[in-house]
């Protein structure tokens, strides 16, 4: 009987995606979890949810270790694979942050254990004891890993929760300005120390290094929007604002295919502090397929807010 597995399939994908940053790899981890579940002696499984989370977490950690070696030789910046989601509700900014592109990029600098512990603790509010059982480590080891990961995130990614409507409004204004080559408006929207990250994987024309500073970023967008891209003329491109990884984002299409996605991070003043542009065709499959994902899981955790260390 696979009913318990199907009941928790979305949770398993949400865990694996946050650990791996790849929808394709997360789907593979979920499928491998199903194979292990199918072969398990169910009579010895007291808590199917905990059992399945343990399986998918360890499979995702193994895949992450293998992926790290490949990512070291990746051409240009490596960005997480975007997935279609809702755009977030007005009171859901903190939870949306737990799956944002910017946070998933930051988690790349954690060890696989630290990343898994952080995801299970901060995004899903599992207890330290539950996590220890899931990853096969002592509770004290898990507490230490959680503390290191939390401090790393807090130090490198200050939280500025932004409402979905504010985020969408800024995205709309920036898209209009970029499409019209309006550098002045772009400069008004960009923070002085904004960074543009573009991921073409060496397969399409993109910047091979991060572009830093409002003027260079505005000039980059003004230039690229005036030229044909991968055989598609600017007039033949369309841009749709939709939910990407929990926040409003942009899907660019042309020539009968998805060309790129764009998501923005905003600072405490509502200015754009980071732009993530994914154009590697290998990472656009989930968006092209049009599969909507629900990655929030309010029933399982309390989002990315601070969790009491003593819990």
């Amino acid at each position: 009987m696979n009913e318990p597995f199907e009941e928790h399939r979305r949770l398993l994908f949400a865990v694996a995606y946050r650990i791996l940053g790849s929808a394709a790899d997360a789907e593979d981890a979920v499928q491998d979890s199903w194979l292990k579940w199918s072969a398990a002696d169910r009579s010895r499984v007291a808590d199917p949810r905990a059992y399945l989370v343990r399986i998918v977490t360890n499979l995702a950690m193994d895949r992450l270790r293998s992926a790290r070696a490949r990512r070291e030789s990746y051409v240009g910046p490596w960005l997480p694979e975007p997935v279609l989601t809702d755009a977030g509700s007005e009171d859901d900014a903190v939870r949306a942050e737990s799956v944002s592109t910017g946070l998933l990029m930051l988690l790349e600098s954690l060890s696989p254990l630290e990343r898994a512990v952080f995801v299970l603790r901060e995004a899903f509010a599992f207890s330290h004891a539950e996590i220890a059982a899931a990853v096969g480590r002592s509770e004290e080891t898990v507490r230490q890993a959680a503390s290191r990961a939390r401090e790393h995130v807090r130090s490198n990614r200050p939280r500025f929760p932004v409402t979905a409507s504010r985020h969408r409004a800024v995205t709309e204004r920036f898209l209009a300005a970029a499409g019209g080559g309006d550098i002045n408006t772009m400069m008004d929207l960009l923070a002085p120390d904004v960074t543009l990250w573009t991921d073409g994987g060496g397969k399409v024309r993109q910047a091979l290094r991060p572009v830093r500073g409002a003027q260079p970023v505005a000039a980059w967008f003004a230039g690229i929007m005036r030229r044909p891209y991968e055989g598609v003329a600017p007039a033949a491109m369309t841009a749709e604002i939709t939910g990407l990884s929990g926040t409003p984002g942009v899907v660019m299409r042309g020539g009968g295919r998805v060309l790129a996605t764009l998501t923005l991070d905003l600072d405490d003043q509502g200015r754009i502090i980071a732009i993530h542009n994914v154009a590697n065709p290998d990472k656009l499959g989930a968006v092209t397929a049009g599969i909507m994902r629900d990655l929030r899981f309010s029933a399982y955790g309390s989002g990315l807010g601070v969790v009491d260390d003593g819990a």
Side-chain angles (χ1 to χ4, degrees):
M1 299 289 288
N2 290 317
E3 287 83 354
F5 184 89
E6 293 303 325
E7 178 185 352
H8 299 301
R9 178 186 285 272
R10 291 190 303 117
L11 170 63
L12 302 183
F13 179 87
V15 170
Y17 176 71
R18 284 172 168 88
I19 293 175
L20 290 162
S22 164
D25 286 346
E27 284 285 13
D28 288 343
V30 172
Q31 181 62 23
D32 289 346
S33 298
W34 181 84
L35 293 175
K36 287 182 175 292
W37 170 256
S38 297
D41 180 356
R42 312 293 173 74
S43 66
R44 303 182 63 181
V45 178
D47 184 344
R49 172 173 166 264
Y51 182 81
L52 288 166
V53 168
R54 176 170 65 82
I55 291 175
V56 82
T57 296
N58 283 278
L59 287 170
M61 290 169 64
D62 288 343
R63 284 183 171 274
L64 182 59
R65 293 184 184 100
S66 299
R68 287 278 169 88
R70 297 193 301 272
R71 291 173 191 178
E72 288 178 359
S73 59
Y74 195 81
V75 178
W78 184 95
L79 298 183
E81 181 181 353
V83 293
L84 293 172
T85 64
D86 66 23
S89 63
E90 292 305 286
D91 59 354
D92 208 26
V94 172
R95 196 177 307 282
E97 166 67 3
S98 77
V99 74
S100 70
T101 300
L103 178 65
L104 294 183
M105 285 180 64
L106 181 57
L107 297 187
E108 283 293 302
S109 55
L110 298 176
S111 71
L113 175 63
E114 289 169 341
R115 182 165 183 166
V117 169
F118 181 87
V119 165
L120 294 177
R121 182 65 178 156
E122 301 294 332
F124 297 98
F126 284 97
S127 71
H128 291 116
E130 289 174 315
I131 298 170
V135 300
R137 303 296 179 92
S138 70
E139 189 170 339
E140 180 58 28
T141 296
V142 164
R143 287 182 180 275
Q144 293 174 1
S147 179
R148 290 193 302 270
R150 189 183 304 113
E151 181 57 33
H152 177 74
V153 171
R154 284 173 171 167
S155 298
N156 292 278
R157 188 172 173 80
R159 287 173 47 215
F160 304 120
V162 179
T163 63
S165 59
R166 176 81 176 276
H167 205 138
R168 183 181 180 91
V170 173
T171 301
E172 289 175 342
R173 288 188 63 199
F174 183 78
L175 178 61
D182 185 349
I183 289 182
N184 289 333
T185 297
M186 281 191 282
M187 291 289 290
D188 289 340
L189 295 170
L190 297 170
D193 54 346
V194 62
T195 300
L196 165 65
W197 304 85
T198 69
D199 180 346
K203 300 184 177 184
V204 294
R205 188 183 76 238
Q206 291 291 326
L208 295 179
R209 294 181 179 82
V211 181
R212 303 183 189 278
Q215 182 66 45
V217 169
W220 190 90
F221 274 100
I224 199 170
M225 298 297 280
R226 289 197 299 261
R227 299 190 299 268
Y229 179 77
E230 297 299 314
V232 181
M237 297 181 191
T238 63
E240 175 192 6
I241 296 181
T242 187
L244 288 174
S245 300
T247 62
V250 180
V251 176
M252 304 291 299
R253 291 184 172 87
R257 64 189 189 275
V258 175
L259 297 173
T261 64
L262 198 72
T263 54
L264 313 176
D265 278 355
L266 307 185
D267 66 13
D268 58 341
Q269 299 180 49
R271 299 175 304 182
I272 301 169
I273 192 65
I275 302 174
H276 308 105
N277 179 20
V278 178
N280 183 345
D282 293 343
K283 293 187 177 183
L284 299 174
V287 174
T288 299
I291 301 172
M292 293 289 293
R293 301 285 187 180
D294 182 357
L295 303 176
R296 294 169 298 172
F297 282 92
S298 57
Y300 293 100
S302 57
L304 194 64
V306 177
V307 178
D308 183 0
D309 287 342

